[in-house]
Amino acid sequence: MSGLHPNPPFRGVFPVVPTIFDEAGRLDLEGQRRCLDFMIDAGSDGLCILANFSEQFVLSDGERDLLTTVALAHVAGRVPVIVTTSHFSTHVCAARSRRAQDLGAAMVMVMPPYHGATIRAAQPQIFEFFQVLSGTLDIPIMIQDAPVSGTVLPVEFLASLAREIEHVSYFKIEVPQAAAKLRALIAAGGAAIEGPWDGEEAITLLADLDAGATGAMTGGGFPDLIRPIVHDYLAGRREAAVQGYERCLPLINFENRQCGLLAAKALMQEGGVIACAAGRHPIAPLHPATRAGLVETARRLDPLVLRWAA
């Protein structure tokens, strides 16, 4: 592994940063900066931008570059930032990733190459894809293993990528039975698996921690509630982590099962962090009753997001 990889590896809670728009669907850069400040103040160990939960798929290439530039400049090293650079094209993904590194990204997160419902790359091409990507970088690569790509990534194949490609060292596992896959990946890859991570808004967090996860990429609305769970667990205080998870699970469930990618923005708007919680069209707004249920569930836990702007 490169000497530029963090030692010890990145651990903890790295929530996904939502992309902030105004009512007309334009980027709200001032709102974006306030969002970043809140998420750092809420105790995030790091951040991830331009993920699927950031609505990366509704952004132009120019907007992606602008958001990367603005976010990394505004964070200014306060916490490490992971930049999602996924693209079907090896060349485009490599260029995006190098640009992110040059702007100060601590890591890139990439899905295996896919397009739509049917266009996939075979394992030899996926291997070459990540090999080329690694050759352009000096920072770690996180592979996002999620159903949205429609690409099956067997444990042994992922382990071989970690063993044989220098900068492939982190894995965000979001497939069904994620804990079982994390456990098998850690066993197969050994020391090459620097970062086995949980995802999917922490809906499987406790099981994934029990399986050996050392990081969690959650939604961005309440990092202050998730961070103690992960830090307690990693410090050997499992019972405290279990109690914290049980306390937060209704809110985690409401985000994951009822609201999806608009949950964080709805909470940020409710608390005055941002002015507009809308996704970019054609993403439908939350039903008012769903939004009300989210806020009611959150208020029971008194998260910072509802107090930060006061």
Side-chain angles (χ1 to χ4, degrees), residues 104-123:
M107 187 190 308
V108 295
M109 182 169 74
V110 179
M111 301 194 78
Y114 76 99
H115 178 72
T118 60
I119 300 177
R120 302 287 177 273
Q123 284 188 15

Side-chain angles (χ1 to χ4, degrees), residues 172-309:
K172 180 187 175 188
I173 305 299
E174 300 180 284
V175 296
Q177 289 80 55
K181 190 163 189 178
L182 279 164
R183 191 174 288 111
L185 178 62
I186 293 165
I193 312 299
E194 291 185 24
W197 280 28
D198 164 85
E200 205 182 0
E201 302 79 68
I203 195 68
T204 61
L205 176 60
L206 187 61
D208 293 345
L209 289 169
D210 280 340
T214 57
M217 191 175 290
T218 66
F222 41 96
D224 53 309
L225 302 181
I226 302 294
R227 186 177 189 268
I229 300 168
V230 176
H231 281 248
D232 277 338
Y233 195 99
L234 296 179
R237 298 185 293 269
R238 185 178 183 276
E239 184 55 34
V242 170
Q243 291 178 12
Y245 188 65
E246 290 174 346
R247 177 171 174 262
C248 292
L249 190 54
L251 181 57
I252 292 168
N253 181 279
F254 210 104
E255 175 180 35
N256 179 268
R257 292 292 187 258
Q258 305 300 324
C259 300
L261 55 80
L262 295 181
K265 290 199 280 191
L267 292 173
M268 289 180 190
Q269 183 189 45
E270 181 70 18
V273 178
I274 60 175
C276 176
R280 186 176 257 181
H281 197 272
I283 293 172
L286 288 180
H287 189 282
T290 301
R291 186 187 186 281
L294 173 70
V295 173
E296 178 188 23
T297 304
R299 286 201 186 281
R300 294 192 183 101
L301 300 175
D302 191 31
L304 180 64
V305 68
L306 299 180
R307 298 180 277 106
W308 183 82

Side-chain angles (χ1 to χ4, degrees), residues 24-249:
R26 298 168 299 208
L27 295 179
D28 175 2
L29 296 181
E30 183 53 36
Q32 193 71 61
R33 293 183 182 97
R34 284 174 60 81
C35 169
L36 292 164
D37 287 339
F38 153 69
M39 292 177 70
I40 293 171
D41 287 350
S44 303
D45 294 297
L47 302 171
C48 178
I49 64 172
L50 299 177
N52 291 326
F53 250 49
S54 312
E55 300 174 67
Q56 60 87 15
F57 41 81
V58 304
L59 300 170
S60 70
D61 288 347
E63 288 172 328
R64 291 179 61 94
D65 190 68
L66 175 60
L67 285 166
T68 303
T69 303
V70 167
L72 288 168
H74 188 68
V75 172
R78 286 179 285 169
V79 295
V81 177
I82 300 171
V83 179
T84 309
T85 57
S86 300
H87 197 280
F88 185 84
S89 162
T90 304
H91 172 77
V92 174
C93 185
R96 280 182 178 180
S97 300
R98 183 70 196 197
R99 171 73 170 159
Q101 175 182 285
D102 290 347
L103 288 170
M107 187 190 308
V108 295
M109 182 169 74
V110 179
M111 301 194 78
Y114 76 99
H115 178 72
T118 60
I119 300 177
R120 302 287 177 273
Q123 284 188 15
Q125 284 69 51
I126 296 173
F127 187 95
E128 292 169 0
F129 175 93
F130 283 107
Q131 193 171 47
V132 169
L133 182 57
S134 178
T136 71
L137 296 173
D138 299 309
I139 58 176
I141 298 165
M142 173 180 283
I143 295 179
Q144 183 178 5
D145 181 12
V148 69
S149 75
T151 303
V152 177
L153 297 169
V155 165
E156 186 49 47
F157 179 59
L158 290 177
S160 72
L161 293 174
R163 289 192 300 263
E164 299 176 40
I165 300 178
E166 182 179 11
H167 298 301
V168 173
S169 49
Y170 287 75
F171 298 85
K172 180 187 175 188
I173 305 299
E174 300 180 284
V175 296
Q177 289 80 55
K181 190 163 189 178
L182 279 164
R183 191 174 288 111
L185 178 62
I186 293 165
I193 312 299
E194 291 185 24
W197 280 28
D198 164 85
E200 205 182 0
E201 302 79 68
I203 195 68
T204 61
L205 176 60
L206 187 61
D208 293 345
L209 289 169
D210 280 340
T214 57
M217 191 175 290
T218 66
F222 41 96
D224 53 309
L225 302 181
I226 302 294
R227 186 177 189 268
I229 300 168
V230 176
H231 281 248
D232 277 338
Y233 195 99
L234 296 179
R237 298 185 293 269
R238 185 178 183 276
E239 184 55 34
V242 170
Q243 291 178 12
Y245 188 65
E246 290 174 346
R247 177 171 174 262
C248 292
L249 190 54

